[in-house]
């Protein structure tokens, strides 16, 4: 039988052995790590966010992810961070047609906006990454982006004194690994939530859409075409089939061919899967904060929203894989100048300045 005193003594020894550290380096390891669970607040009318069971969000994980997202050490010559091509003021996209990577390398695709990315799926313009954790591997090693190896990144981050305590706080030990970095960055990306645009405020009853904005919204949701020519036509703009409002992201996140080209220079999803039925199809992007993330499309070919709406109004270029929702067969949408302006005014109600100005998302190294 263990007496009360002995029991107390054993407990004391255990406590001492947990907290006692011989040298400074071990001291960091010995601090008790207890990451604080972080609960995503789901905005009104948004569906739940799909968070992988093996990467629960924590305050410390998000903090680490933010430091890594903004760290130039992820690139070969320590010149660019993820944030260099995903700038807050551009809705975490880039206002140049093609972003410039390490050593001035220029790609062929426009940077994608990172807005409510936790609700998106099948990442990249060609939908090639199934999860965010998987997606984050790519930019580091991509020769036209950060052109670095994860091995080097691990060594650099290990050697930077700000990081061991952050890994300890987020993951319970100071070990720096690629997987932990990807998990932390994914946690940070899932906090990039935009839900305070005039459109959101209108849905919550805190804003009244102007007449033009409301007409634009209605056109957005109506079937395109003259009912005499197209079955079910409503003279609308027919945007909602692909940029679906349900879920509040204005995207179905599925690949479609929206009629940009008759002959494809970039094969899109087909280039990745080899499937002839997927040639020229690209992931449908969200339209949230679209006013801020020009230029538009996977190759940034349109510099204004006017040009985008003109593209859809024209009906687009016919091709084998063009989406049935593109009404080119009936000679375009025949929208009036006023209707085009209304659609653009509606799109601008999706701008959320409190999102882009949120200091919690900005560079913590500055
Ligand atoms: C040199 C510019 C550049 C850098 C640096 C960069 N990106 Fe990107 N990002 C892009 C481009 C361009 C695309 C689209 C590429 C494609 O589709 O092939 C993209 C796509 C993405 C997407 C997909 C979004 C979606 O909706 O599918 C995510 C997420 C992302 N980047 C996160 C990151 C993270 C995290 C880092 C840092 C580890 C990073 N990016 C670094 C330019 C960059
Ligand atoms: C058939 C599905 C479909 C329809 C219909 C459609 N879109 Fe798109 N939209 C897409 C796809 C797919 C892309 C990306 C295409 C690419 O880059 O190759 C896109 C891109 C865009 C972009 C650029 C986004 C960016 O981040 O660069 C805007 C803006 C846009 N669409 C607005 C509209 C509007 C407004 C309408 C209605 C007039 C509309 N779309 C109708 C599928 C569609």
């Amino acid at each position: 039988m263990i007496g009360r005193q002995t029991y107390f003594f054993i407990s004391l020894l255990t406590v001492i052995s947990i907290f006692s550290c011989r040298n400074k380096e071990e001291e960091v390891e010995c601090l008790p790590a207890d990451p604080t669970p972080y609960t995503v607040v789901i905005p009104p009318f948004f569906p739940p966010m799909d968070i992988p069971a093996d990467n629960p969000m924590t305050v410390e994980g998000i903090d680490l992810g933010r430091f890594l997202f903004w760290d130039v050490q992820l690139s070969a010559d320590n010149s660019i961070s993820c944030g260099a091509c995903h700038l807050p003021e551009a809705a975490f996209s880039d206002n140049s047609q093609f972003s410039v990577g390490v050593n001035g390398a220029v790609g062929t695709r426009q940077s994608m906006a990172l807005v409510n990315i936790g609700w998106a799926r099948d990442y990249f313009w060609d939908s090639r990454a199934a999860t965010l954790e998987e997606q984050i591997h790519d930019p580091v090693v991509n020769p036209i982006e950060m052109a670095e190896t994860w091995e080097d990144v691990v060594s650099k981050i290990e050697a930077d004194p700000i990081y061991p305590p952050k890994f300890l706080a987020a993951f319970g030990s100071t070990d720096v690994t690629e997987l932990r970095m990807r998990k932390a960055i994914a946690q940070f990306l899932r906090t990039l939530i935009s839900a305070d645009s005039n459109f959101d405020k209108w849905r919550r009853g805190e804003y009244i859409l102007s007449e033009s904005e409301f007409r634009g919204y209605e056109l957005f949701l109506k079937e395109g075409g003259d009912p005499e020519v197209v079955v079910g036509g409503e003279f609308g703009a027919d945007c909602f089939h692909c940029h679906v409002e349900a879920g509040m992201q204005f995207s179905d996140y599925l690949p479609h061919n929206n009629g940009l080209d008759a002959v494809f220079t970039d094969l899109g999803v087909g280039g990745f899967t080899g499937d002839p039925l997927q040639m020229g199809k690209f992931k449908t992007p969200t339209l949230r904060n679209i006013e801020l993330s020009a230029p538009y499309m996977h190759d940034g070919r349109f510099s204004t929203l006017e040009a985008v709406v003109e593209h859809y109004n024209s009906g687009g270029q016919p091709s084998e894989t063009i989406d049935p929702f593109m009404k080119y067969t009936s000679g375009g949408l025949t929208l009036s100048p006023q209707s085009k302006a209304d659609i653009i005014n509606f799109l601008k109600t999706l701008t959320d300045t409190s999102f882009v100005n949120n200091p919690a998302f900005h560079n913590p190294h500055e």
Side-chain angles (χ1 to χ4, degrees), residues 69 74 80-86 94 99-102 105 109-114 117 120-126 128 132 135-136 139-140 142 144-146 150 185 189 253 283:
F69 181 88
L74 269 66
I80 55 168
S81 67
C82 307
C85 305
H86 296 284
D94 185 349
S99 312
V100 179
V102 161
R109 287 183 181 167
Q110 222 262 312
S111 174
M112 300 177 84
L114 307 178
I117 196 82
R121 54 174 193 272
D122 301 333
Y123 300 92
F124 291 120
W125 283 113
D126 53 10
R128 68 185 182 276
L132 273 179
Q135 185 282 329
I136 294 160
V140 169
N142 193 328
I144 51 167
E145 294 188 4
M146 301 170 112
W150 274 97
I185 295 173
L189 294 182
Y253 295 121
K283 175 180 177 175

Side-chain angles (χ1 to χ4, degrees), residues 156-231:
K156 286 191 265 183
I157 296 300
E158 263 171 356
D160 183 336
I162 68 164
Y163 284 108
K166 288 193 182 293
F167 277 81
L168 176 67
F171 294 111
S173 84
T174 54
D175 294 348
V176 174
T177 66
E178 175 190 343
L179 185 62
R180 283 181 169 187
M181 279 192 256
R182 288 199 264 131
K183 283 185 168 181
I185 295 173
Q187 289 185 37
F188 169 65
L189 294 182
R190 292 190 175 101
T191 67
L192 299 180
I193 296 175
S194 171
D196 215 16
S197 64
N198 280 345
F199 179 78
D200 293 289
K201 289 180 185 155
W202 176 67
R203 289 288 305 259
R204 298 199 298 260
E206 298 160 13
Y207 175 83
I208 297 173
L209 293 180
S210 73
E211 281 180 24
S212 171
E213 288 166 350
F214 188 72
R215 278 197 306 268
Y217 175 57
E218 285 189 314
L219 284 163
F220 189 93
L221 297 176
K222 277 187 179 163
E223 297 282 346
D226 181 339
E228 303 269 307
V229 187
V230 182
V231 182

Side-chain angles (χ1 to χ4, degrees), residues 93 110-113 125 219-220 237-243 252 254-260 280-287 290 293-302 305 308-309 312-313 323-326 333 335 343 347:
S93 172
Q110 222 262 312
S111 174
M112 300 177 84
W125 283 113
L219 284 163
F220 189 93
D238 219 328
C239 313
F240 70 105
H241 289 290
C242 308
H243 299 283
D252 59 5
L254 293 172
H256 295 278
N257 172 352
N258 65 343
L260 292 175
K281 292 191 183 177
F282 292 86
K283 175 180 177 175
T284 306
T286 178
L287 297 180
I290 196 70
S293 65
Y296 304 110
M297 305 299 167
H298 67 272
D299 54 4
R301 68 178 62 192
F302 298 132
L305 286 173
V308 171
V309 170
Y312 287 110
N313 190 46
D323 200 276
F325 290 122
M326 293 298 300
L333 295 165
L335 297 169
I343 292 164
L347 291 175

Side-chain angles (χ1 to χ4, degrees), residues 231-346:
V231 182
E234 297 174 303
F235 292 115
D238 219 328
C239 313
F240 70 105
H241 289 290
C242 308
H243 299 283
V244 291
E245 184 188 1
M248 296 288 280
Q249 307 311 325
F250 295 95
S251 175
D252 59 5
Y253 295 121
L254 293 172
H256 295 278
N257 172 352
N258 65 343
L260 292 175
D261 298 301
V263 178
F264 314 125
T265 33
D266 186 331
L267 301 177
V269 182
F272 159 62
T273 62
D275 182 346
L277 297 175
Q278 291 178 322
M279 296 297 167
K281 292 191 183 177
F282 292 86
K283 175 180 177 175
T284 306
T286 178
L287 297 180
R288 282 187 170 270
N289 295 293
I290 196 70
E291 181 184 7
L292 307 175
S293 65
Y296 304 110
M297 305 299 167
H298 67 272
D299 54 4
R301 68 178 62 192
F302 298 132
S303 47
T304 61
L305 286 173
E306 283 74 11
V308 171
V309 170
E310 207 44 70
H311 159 73
Y312 287 110
N313 190 46
S314 78
Q317 301 285 334
S319 68
E320 298 241 309
T321 58
I322 193 166
D323 200 276
F325 290 122
M326 293 298 300
K327 301 281 197 284
Y328 70 92
T329 42
S330 59
L333 295 165
T334 61
L335 297 169
S336 70
Q338 182 61 55
S339 295
K340 291 182 213 170
D342 292 342
I343 292 164
I344 291 168
N345 286 337
F346 161 65

